[in-house]
Amino acid sequence: MWNMKSADGETSIGVSASGTGEMSGTLVFQEVAYEVTGEWAASGSVPGRDYSAFYLGGGNSKSAPEFIAAAGTMKGPGSAPESIALNLIRTDSHTGLQYGWDGELLPE
């Protein structure tokens, strides 16, 4: 289980990552929790793959949902990253607004 958080506390993830590449868990952004699933690719697992990278996506449980998509790269081993460089975008089906965020996540 990865439990990582931004220094400002605005963004955090708590996800499980399997050895076969599947991911699932929760991404919290601006105090809203999103149930997410995704996939990751481990560095060094095939020739030419020099970085561990992943994506996550999902929504919240509102009747007018917000959706979130995130992608990032990891420093350190996939089983216990030292840091994650993350980019995300959130879309809101109620207001039509989109909001992007990028930053670093560190272990909690």
Side-chain angles (χ1 to χ4, degrees):
M1 178 74 123
W2 302 343
N3 290 302
M4 311 285 287
K5 190 174 202 172
S6 63
D8 63 7
E10 187 169 89
T11 307
S12 65
I13 60 172
V15 294
S16 295
S18 76
T20 57
E22 294 87 18
M23 297 177 72
S24 64
T26 303
L27 188 157
V28 177
F29 179 62
Q30 295 181 332
E31 300 180 7
V32 177
Y34 302 88
E35 294 305 312
V36 293
T37 59
E39 188 175 329
W40 75 292
S43 66
S45 58
V46 298
R49 189 180 294 164
D50 298 325
Y51 295 89
S52 293
F54 68 95
Y55 74 89
L56 297 166
N60 62 10
S61 58
K62 295 180 180 179
S63 59
E66 296 175 1
F67 297 103
I68 202 154
T73 54
M74 297 175 270
K75 289 183 183 174
S79 58
E82 298 164 14
S83 68
I84 293 175
L86 186 75
N87 290 278
L88 68 79
I89 188 163
R90 178 192 62 209
T91 61
D92 188 324
S93 69
H94 173 67
T95 65
L97 297 177
Q98 296 185 24
Y99 184 83
W101 181 92
D102 67 272
E104 182 179 44
L105 304 181
L106 299 171
E108 289 191 85

